[in-house]
C-alpha cells in the first residue's frame, strides 16, 4: 500500500487499482496520495523531453488554475478544454504527467524516453525497435528502465463516464485495454535477434473528475510481471537512454550547447547554483519558466528577467538539471542519485518554496516572499 506524502501545502488524492496479467485480479481500491510538486516535476520532465514548452503554464503554477478546491484531483467546473478535441488533447497531456509521476515515484522507474526518440537513439547501436505501425497512435508512449528491467509504458487520460469498469473488481475500461495492446506492439531487439528483449509493459490510465460530473478520480495501473534484462543489455541500454534523456532535458532547458558536449572531452558550460527562498539548488543547468516563455539562466544578469516577471505577480517555476547528476549517472547508470534538498516524493518542507526533485531534475515554485538569488562564495 502506498503511503501519503507529507506535503504541508497541497496534495491530490487518487484511487489506485492494480491488475496482474493472468488472470486480471483486482484487489480492493486503496487511497493513493500524490503531492502536487511530485506531479509538477514529472510534468516538467515530460515537457522538456517532448518539446511542449507552450504547455508549461499548465504546471508552472502547480495546476492551481485548473484544480477545484479540496484534496482530490478534481478539475474546476467542467474541466479543462471546450469541445471534444480540446478535451482529448488535455486528457492525453495530463495522463502522461500522471503516469510518469506514478511510475517514477512509486514503481522505481528511472528513465522514460519518448518512443520516437528512443527509436532514433537505438538505430545506430546494437539494438533496434520494431518498425512503427502505419496507423498513428498504436505504439506505447515511452521506453525506459527501472533498476533491473526494460520498461515499455503507455499512458492514458480519460473523462469516461463508466462506473463498474473503473471501480472493479472484475472488469476494466476499454481505454486500459487499448493501452495494454499498445505496449504489446512495442518491442526492442538486439540487432541480430528476432525475439524481443524481455520488458515490463506498464499501462497506466487516469480517469478525471470535475466539479460538475463528480466522477471518482481514479488511477489504474496494469501491473506486469517479466524477467530482468541481461546485465550487458541493461548496461548498454542505460547508457544510451540516459544520454538521450539528459540531452533532451538540457535542450528543453535552453542549454543546447551543453547537450552537444555530453560526449566531448572538453568541460561542459559553467553550471549555476541557486538559492530559492533560502533553499539551495545545487549547481546545474537552469531555466525560469512562466506564462510568457522560458529563459535559460546562465549568469547573474539573467535573474533580472525573473525579478521583472515576479514584479508582475505572474506564476513562475525554476527548473535545474544537476551537473553532478549528469556526471554521476554517465559513469554509473545504476547509481542512486541522492539529494538532500527535497523529499523523494516531492514533499514541501516548512513554509518555504515548493520544491521537488527526481533523477537530477529539481523544480521550485517560489512563494511571493521567497528571494531568488545566486549564493555568494
Amino acid at each position: 500500500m502506498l503511503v501519503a506524502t507529507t506535503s504541508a501545502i497541497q496534495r491530490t488524492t487518487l484511487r489506485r487499482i492494480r491488475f496482474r496479467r493472468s488472470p486480471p485480479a483486482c484487489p480492493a481500491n486503496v487511497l493513493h496520495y500524490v503531492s502536487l510538486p511530485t506531479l509538477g516535476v514529472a510534468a516538467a520532465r515530460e515537457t522538456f523531453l517532448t518539446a511542449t514548452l507552450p504547455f508549461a503554464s499548465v504546471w508552472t503554477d502547480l495546476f492551481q488554475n485548473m484544480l477545484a478546491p479540496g484534496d482530490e484531483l478534481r478539475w474546476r467546473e467542467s474541466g479543462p478544454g471546450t469541445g471534444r478535441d480540446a478535451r482529448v488533447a488535455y486528457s492525453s497531456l495530463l495522463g502522461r504527467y500522471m503516469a510518469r509521476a506514478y511510475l517514477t515515484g512509486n514503481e522505481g522507474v528511472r528513465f522514460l524516453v519518448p518512443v520516437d526518440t528512443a527509436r532514433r537513439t537505438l538505430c545506430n547501436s546494437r539494438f533496434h525497435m520494431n518498425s512503427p505501425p502505419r496507423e498513428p497512435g498504436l505504439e506505447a508512449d515511452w521506453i525506459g528502465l527501472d533498476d533491473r528491467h526494460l520498461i515499455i509504458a503507455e499512458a492514458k487520460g480519460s473523462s469516461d463516464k463508466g462506473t463498474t469498469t473503473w471501480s472493479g473488481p472484475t472488469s476494466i475500461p476499454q481505454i486500459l485495454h487499448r493501452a495494454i495492446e499498445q505496449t504489446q506492439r512495442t518491442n526492442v531487439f538486439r540487432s541480430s535477434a528476432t525475439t524481443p528483449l524481455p520488458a515490463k509493459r506498464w499501462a497506466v490510465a487516469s480517469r478525471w473528475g470535475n466539479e460538475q460530473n463528480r466522477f471518482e478520480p481514479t488511477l489504474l495501473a496494469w501491473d506486469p510481471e517479466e524477467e530482468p534484462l541481461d546485465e550487458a543489455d541493461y548496461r548498454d541500454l542505460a547508457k544510451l537512454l540516459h544520454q538521450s534523456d539528459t540531452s533532451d532535458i538540457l535542450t528543453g532547458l535552453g542549454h543546447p550547447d551543453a547537450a552537444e558536449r555530453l560526449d566531448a572531452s572538453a568541460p561542459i558550460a559553467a553550471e549555476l547554483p541557486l538559492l530559492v527562498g533560502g533553499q539551495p539548488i545545487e549547481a546545474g543547468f537552469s531555466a525560469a519558466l512562466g506564462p510568457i516563455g522560458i529563459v535559460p539562466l546562465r549568469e547573474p544578469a539573467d535573474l533580472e528577467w525573473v525579478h521583472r516577471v515576479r514584479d508582475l505577480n505572474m506564476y513562475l517555476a525554476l527548473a535545474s538539471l544537476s551537473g553532478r547528476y549528469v556526471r554521476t549517472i554517465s559513469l554509473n547508470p545504476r547509481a542512486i542519485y541522492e539529494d538532500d534538498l527535497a523529499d523523494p516524493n516531492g514533499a514541501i518542507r516548512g513554509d518555504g518554496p515548493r520544491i521537488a526533485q527526481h533523477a537530477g531534475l529539481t523544480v521550485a515554485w517560489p512563494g511571493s516572499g521567497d528571494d531568488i538569488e545566486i549564493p555568494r562564495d
Side-chain angles (χ1 to χ4, degrees):
M1 182 178 294
L2 302 181
V3 179
T5 63
T6 57
S7 172
I9 296 179
Q10 194 173 20
R11 65 176 180 262
T12 176
T13 306
L14 303 162
R15 294 180 66 189
R16 170 176 174 264
I17 306 169
R18 301 183 70 185
F19 296 89
R20 292 191 179 277
R21 289 190 298 185
S22 300
C26 307
N29 300 343
V30 296
L31 288 178
H32 169 51
Y33 295 88
V34 178
S35 72
L36 288 183
T38 299
L39 187 56
V41 76
R45 201 177 200 102
E46 185 67 11
T47 297
F48 300 138
L49 291 175
T50 56
T52 52
L53 288 172
F55 292 95
S57 58
V58 172
W59 55 265
T60 49
D61 71 345
L62 270 184
F63 308 95
Q64 291 185 37
N65 288 327
M66 300 173 66
L67 286 175
D71 63 353
E72 291 184 316
L73 185 65
R74 196 174 294 282
W75 305 120
R76 290 184 185 275
E77 299 176 352
S78 61
T82 300
R84 182 181 183 278
D85 289 346
R87 290 184 182 277
V88 168
Y90 269 109
S91 287
S92 176
L93 186 70
L94 296 167
R96 289 174 76 104
Y97 296 169
M98 186 60 63
R100 178 180 283 274
Y102 173 74
L103 292 173
T104 58
N106 299 101
E107 298 296 345
V109 174
R110 298 190 174 191
F111 305 121
L112 284 174
V113 176
V115 67
D116 290 340
T117 302
R119 178 174 283 107
R120 291 193 299 270
T121 298
L122 300 182
C123 69
N124 294 320
S125 72
R126 67 182 186 90
F127 304 100
H128 69 93
M129 295 181 62
N130 53 315
S131 300
R134 293 182 179 180
E135 300 89 351
L138 295 181
E139 287 189 290
D141 286 323
W142 300 295
I143 303 297
L145 293 170
D146 61 16
D147 62 349
R148 300 176 65 206
H149 304 89
L150 173 66
I151 301 295
I152 296 173
E154 170 65 17
K156 295 291 186 185
S158 174
S159 56
D160 181 12
K161 298 178 181 179
T163 53
T164 57
T165 55
W166 283 89
S167 60
T170 60
S171 61
I172 60 176
Q174 188 61 36
I175 194 172
L176 191 63
H177 283 293
R178 292 200 300 269
I180 294 166
E181 291 171 359
Q182 286 177 237
T183 68
Q184 293 170 343
R185 293 190 187 101
T186 308
N187 293 289
V188 178
F189 302 84
R190 298 185 189 94
S191 56
S192 58
T194 56
T195 301
L197 294 174
K200 273 195 168 187
R201 300 173 188 273
W202 283 103
V204 181
S206 306
R207 199 271 292 273
W208 315 114
N210 60 54
E211 289 180 302
Q212 292 187 5
N213 63 30
R214 305 303 301 170
F215 294 161
E216 186 72 22
T218 307
L219 178 70
L220 304 183
W222 182 265
D223 184 9
E225 299 171 337
E226 190 52 82
E227 295 298 318
L229 278 173
D230 172 82
E231 182 63 28
D233 290 338
Y234 182 98
R235 182 184 63 249
D236 292 347
L237 281 171
K239 182 177 180 179
L240 290 164
L241 294 179
H242 164 70
Q243 183 170 346
S244 175
D245 179 77
T246 302
S247 177
D248 283 355
I249 292 173
L250 288 171
T251 300
L253 285 166
H255 296 273
D257 51 337
E260 292 172 358
R261 301 177 76 173
L262 283 175
D263 275 341
S265 57
I268 298 176
E271 302 158 18
L272 191 70
L274 294 172
L275 277 175
V276 181
Q279 292 274 17
I281 296 178
E282 68 174 306
F285 306 94
S286 305
L289 301 98
I292 59 175
I294 177 172
V295 171
L297 303 178
R298 297 187 176 90
E299 56 186 5
D302 293 330
L303 288 182
E304 294 178 8
W305 182 91
V306 174
H307 297 145
R308 287 199 299 270
V309 170
R310 302 194 77 205
D311 288 342
L312 297 173
N313 293 320
M314 291 184 178
Y315 286 110
L316 190 76
L318 300 171
S320 180
L321 184 66
S322 162
R324 182 163 62 100
Y325 166 83
V326 173
R327 293 186 294 272
T328 298
I329 307 302
S330 294
L331 294 173
N332 180 10
R334 284 190 182 273
I336 298 175
Y337 183 78
E338 299 292 346
D339 190 292
D340 296 329
L341 176 66
D343 184 282
N345 290 319
I348 304 160
R349 297 186 175 184
D351 297 324
R354 312 173 191 198
I355 297 175
Q357 185 272 339
H358 181 265
L361 181 65
T362 300
V363 183
W365 293 267
S368 58
D370 295 324
D371 292 331
I372 301 171
E373 55 191 334
I374 296 173
R376 298 177 179 177
D377 294 336

